Amino acid sequence: MSPYILFVMLTSLGLGTTLTFTSSHWLLAWMGLEINTLAIIPLMTNKHHPRAVEAATKYFLTQAAAAAILLFASIYNAWYSGQWFIQDMSSPVSTLMTLAIAIKLGIAPMHFWLPEVMQGISINTGLILVTWQKLAPLALLMQISHNIKPELLIILGLMSTIIGGWGGLNQTQIRKIMAYSSIAHLGWIISILHFMPALAMVNLFIYLIMTITMFMTFNLLNSPTINTLAVNWSKSPILAATSALALLSLGGLPPLSGFMPKWLIIQELTNQELAPTATLLALSALLSLFFYLRLSYSLSLTIMPNTHPQTLNWNMKITTPLPLSLMMMMTLTMLPITPTIISLF
Amino acid sequence: MFIDQLPQMFLTCLSLTMVLLILPIILSMVTKPLNNWPLYVKNSVKMSFFTSLIPSIIYLNTNMQSCVIYYRWMLVSPIEINISLQFDQYSMIFMSIALYVTWSILEFAMYYMHTDILINRFFKYLLTFLISMMILVTANNMFQLFIGWEGVGIMSFLLIGWWYGRTDANMAAMQAVIYNRVGDIGLMLAMAWLLINMNSWDIQQLFIMTKNMDTTIPAMGLLLAAMGKSAQFGLHPWLPAAMEGPTPVSALLHSSTMVVAGIFLLIRLHPFLENNNKVLTAALCLGAITTFFTAACALTQNDIKKIVAFSTSSQLGLMMVAIGLNQPQLAFMHICTHAFFKAMMFLCSGSIIHSLNDEQDIRKMGGIHKIMPMTSTCLMIGSLALMGTPFLAGFFSKDAIIEALNTSHLNAWALMLTLIATSFTAVYSLRIIYFVSMSTTRMLPLSPVNENNPLIINPIKRLAWGSIIAGFILYNFILPNKTQMMTMPMSLKLTALIVSLLGLIIAFELALLTNKQIKIHPTKILHNFSNMLGFYPHTMHRLMSKLPLMFGQINATQTTDQSWTEMMGPKGIANLQLTLAQKITHMQKGLIKTYLSITMLSLLVITAMIIYF
């Protein structure tokens, strides 16, 4: 893609999200979301093959439908309460708004588009989809979180983690696995949203770091399926070693930083007398852990039988090592500074 | 002058008896084997016998009994276990008789095992067995008795499996061990109960302390032990199987000494059983069933040693009946007389077997009477003594038991079984005599028939003398402990004799039918039942291994391991996850219409639910 067009698209992407962040008027927020959607479509269809086009189409349809519902809900809210302020949302339509945002985020039971879209696009665009595109809807959700019935969020959260867990078990394509992982993590985020939005922010932060690490790793390793992951131990041994740990961090194992949000969320839910919910969330995290383990198993815990020359792969160059190493370090070692991170939000 | 030194002489001779037996064993552990080790062992046992005669005669004369404590072995207060020997009526007479019989058997074994390379080891085993038996018989506490008990058990195993290259011999030895072990459970139960409740294993102490107690548990335990060791019904198959061992082994262990150890235990510890009617009835019925069943099995056997083995088993049942009648002394008398004629019958069988080049099937013997006169005569004497011919050895003990049975108020069924078994005794004895020594020859023409060897003739002669006069001697010199019923109607008095005669006559008639064909096909139902030993070994041996294995497989492997801990755990959960993961991913078929419709539907449903609840 021509650098100019790339620049325009990326800037629009940034603009859209920032617009949604800074707006207090529903229409402006909606506009930001639409800009986001439209800006990413060309990024998705960068390579003109039918898979990408199909993915872009699916993405567009679902996001457009979600935005339309969001618009309808905000107009109804304006009619009902007479004002367009986001924070003062107090109408019965908050449920509809939540569900529209849920479609945008890819939360079960409205998650169906996410694995297909992720599979059709390149891994870097997938990275944008999973990280940047989540920020704007979550910002809106956090602002209206105190008006939503908590049962709705809990149920959506539970369903997401469970479906994210079971869905990911049956996959061999890395991008689909990351899609289901995103569904599961978003389930954790929204389950605590009503009670302590700060924790949701913490979870989002940690999730972003971990996901960026994994996507960058997969980008470097250039392996689309689990089977092809197996040859990577010779491409970059360090990456093989640390990404195994990063996957475990995604799974939420102490002493890695992925444990931090899960621990705090379970603690908060228990304090809110929702211990069964916490138990179910934790148990469904086991399912996700299994497919992360499977990935780390083929990535670094086993050695694929290959010929001797292949073991001397020396020309893998990482041109910009800083982002990946930074994110990797943050994924693995941030647990001891949990209080600092909590105080950030 | 002799009189006041009698006690020292008594004890000295008894100690000397034991020492003379142990000396060869110690010698064998210290030096090289002597030139003629079997002869040396036989002479030791002979010396030991003569030495033991002195105290026995002193006892018969003056009723002197003693109890010696040699050494305090263990003291776990308040339990004290000593090495102590009791020389009373039972142990002294049994010692003398056992030594006499063993002497004869060892002399015979010098002939029988002559061509065996390991003959020295054989004699050592026999001697070790004898020592264990002596320990058992003279034991004054349960611990020592147990040592002797286990000793005879293991020696029996080693001796039955003497020809260990033969699978049948190994199986027989294994059977002996297992059945004995099952009986040992009873003995250990009794010992444990006695130790816990009486704090002692000393026999005299136990008798005093259990005088008015309910001793059902130890008595039942002792009965189980006797069942195992003395081959009562239920634990009996090992005795006929033990005939796989050499004939001297069968003569010593499985007719005179080892198998009577169980009965001896009950005789020695009779005060536990005296007042306990349950156990006495159990013993009576058990003995009656044993004697009847094994006598019935003996009727159709074709191996000469098996017939004699079943005969032993039947007599053991009779001894158990005597115990059940609360007459331990009669049982003991029968042990003593039975030892003589049964050992002699085995020795005669051994002589015949070797003479016919190891032929044991009576259908292939015949007319032995003409070519081996001494052997067949002694076989005849033994069989007559076994049947209870008046005034031979067996008569005094057997007839006394049957008289006691007839005049008691107990189980008539037991009485009937015993009488039928007595008649069966006559039948199978006649069967042996008829097939082996009478009528025409059916053996191979060039058999190495030779009984003209002093090593055969002398033992058999000695035992024949014993079979004739031992009953008379014992009967005259031993006073009964319990009063016997002396008056009874003539028919009751003559029951045993009439029944035996009846059996003999019927057997004669049947024997005359052997060369006539009455029916085209004979009805073999009862014959098969008797020949296959009531099918007891065939069913029980397989059932007893199959049942625990099935139980183990169904309960432990299938139910506990595979179902509960695997299916309810890892495997079940894994299968469940698989199903659910498949269901969830099957929904992703790639059709956007499906996705959008599910999305809209969920929207509607959730909104509706939220609004209305």
Side-chain angles (χ1 to χ4, degrees), chain A residues 110 112 116 166 170-171 287, chain B residues 577 580-581 585 588 590 595 599:
Chain A
M110 286 79 72
F112 296 99
E116 328 257 307
W166 275 327
N170 203 10
Q171 308 300 332
L287 299 165
Chain B
Q577 304 307 310
L580 286 165
T585 45
Q588 307 263 147
Y595 300 165
T599 310

Side-chain angles (χ1 to χ4, degrees), chain A:
Chain A
M1 192 181 261
S2 147
Y4 299 111
I5 303 189
L6 188 60
F7 172 74
V8 169
M9 292 301 141
L10 287 174
T11 323
S12 316
L13 212 52
L15 176 68
T17 307
T18 330
L19 210 52
T20 314
F21 279 169
T22 55
S23 72
S24 46
H25 193 284
W26 267 120
L27 279 182
L28 205 58
W30 173 82
M31 225 165 69
L33 290 174
E34 284 293 290
I35 293 176
N36 250 349
T37 313
L38 292 173
I40 204 170
I41 299 290
L43 287 176
M44 285 189 185
T45 53
N46 197 4
K47 305 253 164 43
H48 296 279
H49 55 84
R51 208 68 196 282
V53 172
E54 180 191 337
T57 319
K58 282 183 189 164
Y59 183 72
F60 177 69
L61 283 174
T62 42
Q63 299 287 307
I69 298 172
L70 191 63
L71 189 60
F72 168 69
S74 52
I75 292 174
Y76 182 91
N77 182 42
W79 174 63
Y80 184 84
S81 61
Q83 44 84 24
W84 289 93
F85 223 32
I86 294 183
Q87 271 94 345
D88 287 344
M89 172 116 213
S90 59
S91 71
V93 87
S94 61
T95 316
L96 204 54
M97 198 155 287
T98 318
L99 291 170
I101 297 177
I103 302 176
K104 275 215 174 281
L105 285 172
I107 292 174
M110 286 79 72
H111 65 284
F112 296 99
W113 57 271
L114 192 55
E116 328 257 307
V117 172
M118 283 288 290
Q119 182 63 27
I121 56 186
S122 76
I123 205 142
N124 278 329
T125 321
L127 175 61
I128 300 176
L129 179 65
V130 155
T131 52
W132 189 255
Q133 295 289 76
K134 307 276 188 253
L135 292 178
L138 271 175
L140 284 178
L141 203 54
M142 270 185 223
Q143 286 173 326
I144 61 171
S145 61
H146 55 278
N147 284 324
I148 314 173
K149 282 213 160 55
E151 295 94 353
L152 175 64
L153 285 177
I154 301 278
I155 291 180
L156 285 179
L158 269 177
M159 268 211 285
S160 297
T161 49
I162 292 176
I163 289 185
W166 275 327
L169 282 178
N170 203 10
Q171 308 300 332
T172 53
Q173 300 284 335
I174 302 283
R175 285 172 281 180
K176 278 197 178 153
I177 289 182
M178 295 316 289
Y180 280 106
S181 118
S182 136
I183 297 173
H185 280 273
L186 250 92
W188 278 89
I189 293 176
I190 62 171
S191 63
I192 196 68
L193 197 55
H194 178 81
F195 305 105
M196 197 185 270
L199 274 186
M201 299 265 285
V202 168
N203 197 355
L204 180 64
F205 175 63
I206 302 291
Y207 166 65
L208 286 178
I209 293 174
M210 296 192 293
T211 318
I212 291 175
T213 315
M214 285 325 296
F215 270 90
M216 279 204 241
T217 314
F218 289 134
N219 190 22
L220 276 170
L221 298 179
N222 210 11
S223 316
T225 61
I226 303 184
N227 290 341
T228 51
L229 271 181
V231 296
N232 288 321
W233 62 274
S234 58
K235 276 192 204 165
S236 166
I238 296 185
L239 210 51
T242 47
S243 56
L245 288 171
L247 279 165
L248 294 180
S249 179
L250 256 181
L253 286 183
L256 306 166
S257 18
F259 178 59
M260 184 201 316
K262 291 198 163 61
W263 165 30
L264 296 169
I265 289 178
I266 290 179
Q267 183 176 2
E268 186 55 39
L269 283 176
T270 319
N271 282 340
Q272 303 283 342
E273 316 259 323
L274 283 174
T277 310
T279 317
L280 276 173
L281 275 176
L283 285 175
S284 49
L286 279 176
L287 299 165
S288 317
L289 181 62
F290 181 72
F291 58 75
Y292 294 137
L293 262 177
R294 195 192 284 162
L295 282 179
S296 72
Y297 186 73
S298 23
L299 191 52
S300 53
L301 295 177
T302 51
I303 293 187
M304 179 137 167
N306 48 13
T307 56
H308 189 63
Q310 185 148 21
T311 62
L312 304 172
N313 202 344
W314 49 268
N315 54 1
M316 168 147 173
K317 249 192 178 174
I318 304 178
T319 46
T320 50
L322 181 62
L324 178 56
S325 52
L326 180 65
M327 292 292 149
M328 185 66 83
M329 288 320 294
M330 287 169 77
T331 319
L332 298 180
T333 54
M334 285 225 292
L335 190 62
I337 54 174
T338 305
T340 315
I341 304 203
I342 295 181
S343 65
L344 281 176
F345 297 104

Side-chain angles (χ1 to χ4, degrees), chain B residues 372-582:
Chain B
M372 297 174 72
M374 187 68 177
T375 309
S376 55
T377 316
C378 291
L379 193 62
M380 191 79 193
I381 295 176
S383 301
L384 285 174
L386 175 62
M387 281 192 267
T389 311
F391 309 118
L392 289 183
F395 167 74
F396 290 98
S397 45
K398 206 165 165 186
D399 205 57
I401 295 177
I402 295 188
E403 263 179 39
L405 191 54
N406 275 336
T407 54
S408 67
H409 293 287
L410 297 174
N411 219 319
W413 175 241
L415 166 65
M416 197 152 76
L417 285 179
T418 315
L419 287 177
I420 298 178
T422 316
S423 71
F424 280 177
T425 311
V427 174
Y428 62 68
S429 300
L430 184 79
R431 186 184 154 92
I432 296 182
I433 305 293
Y434 183 76
F435 275 95
V436 168
S437 48
M438 286 164 66
S439 85
T440 53
T441 309
R442 292 180 297 279
M443 66 179 90
L444 295 173
L446 290 176
S447 305
V449 177
N450 181 24
E451 63 165 9
N452 201 2
N453 188 341
L455 288 176
I456 309 175
I457 298 294
N458 286 338
I460 293 184
K461 247 191 331 196
R462 272 201 297 275
L463 288 176
W465 274 116
S467 308
I468 298 173
I469 61 176
F472 184 67
I473 295 179
L474 283 173
Y475 181 73
N476 275 329
F477 283 105
I478 297 180
L479 295 170
N481 286 340
K482 302 186 199 257
T483 46
Q484 309 290 318
M485 179 77 78
M486 290 293 157
T487 56
M488 60 191 92
M490 183 69 96
S491 53
L492 280 185
K493 183 94 182 144
L494 294 176
T495 316
L497 198 57
I498 293 176
V499 151
S500 302
L501 273 177
L502 202 62
L504 262 180
I505 295 173
I506 295 181
F508 255 126
E509 290 293 318
L510 285 173
L512 289 177
L513 287 176
T514 47
N515 53 1
K516 299 180 185 52
Q517 187 184 17
I518 310 287
K519 295 194 204 173
I520 301 181
H521 294 292
T523 43
K524 292 189 82 180
I525 299 175
L526 286 176
H527 171 92
N528 282 345
F529 182 80
S530 164
N531 200 14
M532 299 296 281
L533 318 181
F535 302 106
Y536 185 93
H538 302 277
T539 45
M540 288 305 277
H541 289 172
R542 290 186 183 198
L543 205 63
M544 281 299 124
S545 29
K546 185 180 165 205
L547 283 178
L549 286 175
M550 287 292 299
F551 184 79
Q553 183 179 37
I554 292 178
N555 281 351
T557 307
Q558 288 180 348
T559 308
T560 311
D561 269 356
Q562 285 181 344
S563 303
W564 282 109
T565 52
E566 276 193 18
M567 271 298 141
M568 288 293 139
K571 287 226 176 99
I573 292 183
N575 282 339
L576 196 62
Q577 304 307 310
L578 191 64
T579 328
L580 286 165
Q582 280 175 348

